[in-house]
Amino acid sequence: MKLISVLFVLWLPFFAFAQFSDPSPWPEIRKQRIATLLPSALAKAEVDAWLVICRENNNDPLADHVGCENAGQTAVFLFYNHKNQFHSMAFSPAGESTALKDVNLLDEVVSVERNGSAIQTAANFIIEKNFANIAINMSTKNAQADGISFTQYQQLTKALGAKFTQRLTSAEEVIYQWLSIKLPAEIDIMRKAAVLTAQWQVEAYQQVIPGVTTDADVARFLKMKMREAGVTDGWAAAQNPNINSGSDRGHSHPTDKIIQPGDVIQTDFGIRVYDRWVTDIQRFAYVLKDGESAAPADIQRYWKNAKQGQNAAFTAMKPGVRGIDVDTAQRKVMEATGSIPLMWSTGHPVGYVAHDTGPNLGGSRAVSVRPASLRTLAEGMTFAFDGFYSWSLDDGQPKTISVEEMVQITKDGAEYLIPVQQELILIKSN
């Protein structure tokens, strides 16, 4: 039912489906992240200490990154550099503190009597240490760094007093420096998940019967593959996957549009594995008309242009390069090849969420550039990015090829996590 370039037939290792049913490696990886990456994140952010307040139900977004995902009563987690040494500790209610000690994640767990206050106990410790600045999870730019509630802030400032309240600062930079870097073990997990993400899209295209299959049918096939493998959605379930055989729809849900000969089909799809790491990959197909054995010359040219833009962005991705400069590299190709201008960024960090913390690969066409676009790439970062080319369909509506791949940043530049799509997938009409 389809023709596929040999280079595009992705290898599906024998670990495929069983791999993510194993016990999650997150507990050990989290421990390594705290011990090896957090000290330098504090130093780069130029703060003495980072404080996270946790509680039951409506918890901080980073609770399970620091170890307080099981908090019942209020607990305080504190991470700090002091006298050239890194320390991690928790002020936890009695009872809960016993289990927390058993986890062996932190250097020290201070048990707080059930009628006591973890916030006041932590505040007393901070005052005793006389930290010059204390980062807390409040941010207007990053939802992952905006976990402290108004009432928690009130309790903390009351416990610290006016002098130390003045030393509170946003943890935005600490969290940026910490979350934007992934350990090699994490990248390996994302690589394995990316294999499945791309392979399933190929298999989904194999099910297409032009004139019968709808975009929503393709989406249902991918949902079935996810259920069978025990993985979940990489982003909002209603918009994952996004299957689009018509004009551009942006981030959207798949419709009941029937796939027809001559359509270019976009699949934007991501999975979450171990309830932790996500993927974000797009694959494109062309539906052959009767008598066609290849895509028409104009479609082939659009694909080639998109790949050219992708290669320009990929080549630009190196440590120390700003996100906006990666976007600019592709925009130059788009202009040279006659693409319609696009509003979307070339790419974004991907990891714990589809649009993760880190440099944005965009901004070169924006009137007001996002601060994240001015941040520089660093070794250990992971991105999803698109190769763009856009044109007008017969009805005047835009259609965009945005072939999306995932990369890691190494000391030498970008490295694809999996083999990239080299050619359009071709779907026969009969």
Side-chain angles (χ1 to χ4, degrees):
M1 187 173 291
K2 63 173 182 54
L3 301 174
I4 303 179
S5 164
V6 173
L7 290 175
F8 182 62
V9 179
L10 298 178
W11 35 274
L12 184 59
F14 54 83
F15 57 70
F17 295 104
Q19 179 69 15
F20 303 115
S21 63
D22 296 338
S24 174
W26 175 242
E28 182 58 32
I29 286 176
R30 176 176 63 179
K31 187 173 183 178
Q32 293 176 23
R33 288 187 57 81
I34 290 174
T36 63
L37 297 180
L38 191 49
S40 61
L42 289 169
K44 290 176 181 177
E46 298 181 344
V47 299
D48 289 345
W50 174 37
L51 179 147
V52 182
I53 301 177
C54 301
R55 61 181 176 181
E56 193 173 27
N57 298 327
N58 187 21
N59 213 340
D60 190 285
L62 296 183
D64 54 0
H65 282 262
V66 299
C68 59
E69 66 274 13
N70 297 317
Q73 287 187 312
T74 297
V76 177
F77 281 55
L78 189 67
F79 306 90
Y80 62 96
N81 289 324
H82 184 63
K83 294 183 178 179
N84 297 320
Q85 285 193 338
F86 173 73
H87 302 266
S88 59
M89 63 188 306
F91 302 87
S92 173
E96 293 177 21
S97 61
T98 301
L100 193 56
K101 290 176 183 176
D102 290 342
V103 173
N104 194 30
L105 176 66
L106 307 174
D107 297 329
E108 182 180 2
V109 176
V110 176
S111 182
V112 179
E113 293 301 319
R114 299 293 287 186
N115 61 351
S117 168
I119 291 178
Q120 185 62 65
T121 306
N124 293 342
F125 181 85
I126 288 170
I127 293 169
E128 177 187 342
K129 289 294 186 182
N130 195 31
F131 293 133
N133 43 55
I134 308 100
I136 59 175
N137 292 359
M138 57 180 186
S139 172
T140 59
K141 302 174 184 176
N142 186 347
Q144 291 173 290
D146 194 37
I148 192 169
S149 72
F150 178 67
T151 53
Q152 288 172 336
Y153 180 79
Q154 286 182 312
Q155 294 174 61
L156 178 62
T157 54
K158 181 180 179 181
L160 286 173
K163 177 181 177 181
F164 279 85
T165 292
Q166 294 177 355
R167 301 183 184 184
L168 294 177
T169 187
S170 171
E172 185 177 285
E173 187 64 19
V174 174
I175 293 167
Y176 176 93
Q177 295 292 344
W178 192 38
L179 294 190
S180 65
I181 305 298
K182 305 301 186 287
L183 293 173
E186 297 181 278
I187 295 173
D188 185 53
I189 291 168
M190 293 169 65
R191 188 190 315 277
K192 293 171 182 176
V195 169
L196 290 183
T197 307
Q199 176 67 25
W200 289 345
Q201 292 180 65
V202 175
E203 294 177 13
Y205 284 137
Q206 292 175 335
Q207 315 307 311
V208 173
I209 302 174
V212 177
T213 305
T214 67
D215 291 353
D217 289 332
V218 179
R220 280 188 280 270
F221 176 86
L222 289 170
K223 289 288 193 184
M224 178 191 70
K225 300 297 288 187
M226 291 168 58
R227 289 193 300 271
E228 289 176 348
V231 301
T232 55
D233 291 284
W235 53 85
Q239 294 188 347
N240 179 55
N242 174 20
I243 315 296
N244 178 25
S245 61
S247 57
D248 289 349
R249 290 172 52 82
H251 292 112
S252 60
H253 60 278
T255 71
D256 289 324
K257 178 191 173 300
I258 298 174
I259 296 170
Q260 300 290 351
D263 283 343
V264 174
I265 314 175
Q266 170 197 24
T267 297
D268 189 1
F269 179 48
I271 64 174
R272 180 181 295 275
V273 300
Y274 294 124
D275 198 30
R276 179 65 47 201
W277 296 276
V278 305
T279 61
D280 185 4
I281 291 173
Q282 293 187 47
R283 291 292 180 257
F284 281 76
Y286 173 76
V287 185
L288 295 167
K289 298 178 182 178
D290 287 343
E292 289 183 333
S293 59
D298 58 345
I299 300 298
Q300 292 189 47
R301 184 173 71 254
Y302 302 156
W303 175 259
K304 180 180 177 181
N305 292 342
K307 292 293 292 182
Q308 187 178 346
Q310 179 189 70
N311 290 336
F314 177 80
T315 302
M317 282 190 277
K318 300 178 185 296
V321 172
R322 299 181 306 171
I324 192 173
D325 297 325
V326 176
D327 190 57
T328 298
Q330 171 157 225
R331 300 290 171 182
K332 290 179 179 179
V333 173
M334 292 172 66
E335 291 177 8
T337 55
S339 172
I340 295 174
L342 291 172
M343 69 183 81
W344 301 301
S345 298
T346 287
H348 53 83
V350 62
Y352 304 122
V353 290
H355 292 179
D356 208 353
T357 293
N360 173 257
L361 308 182
S364 59
R365 293 190 66 252
V367 175
S368 178
V369 178
R370 279 191 264 176
S373 296
L374 301 177
R375 303 300 295 256
T376 58
L377 280 60
E379 185 177 355
M381 291 181 174
T382 49
F383 294 92
F385 79 105
D386 301 84
F388 285 139
Y389 185 83
S390 186
W391 69 98
S392 294
L393 298 173
D394 291 340
D395 60 3
Q397 295 299 308
K399 178 68 177 181
T400 302
I401 289 175
S402 52
V403 60
E404 188 170 25
E405 305 288 355
M406 292 176 61
V407 297
Q408 67 166 319
I409 305 301
T410 72
K411 62 182 179 63
D412 299 317
E415 177 184 289
Y416 286 110
L417 294 194
I418 61 172
V420 301
Q421 181 177 1
Q422 299 288 4
E423 305 290 343
L424 281 167
I425 297 173
L426 301 179
I427 300 173
K428 289 184 178 180
S429 292
N430 48 50

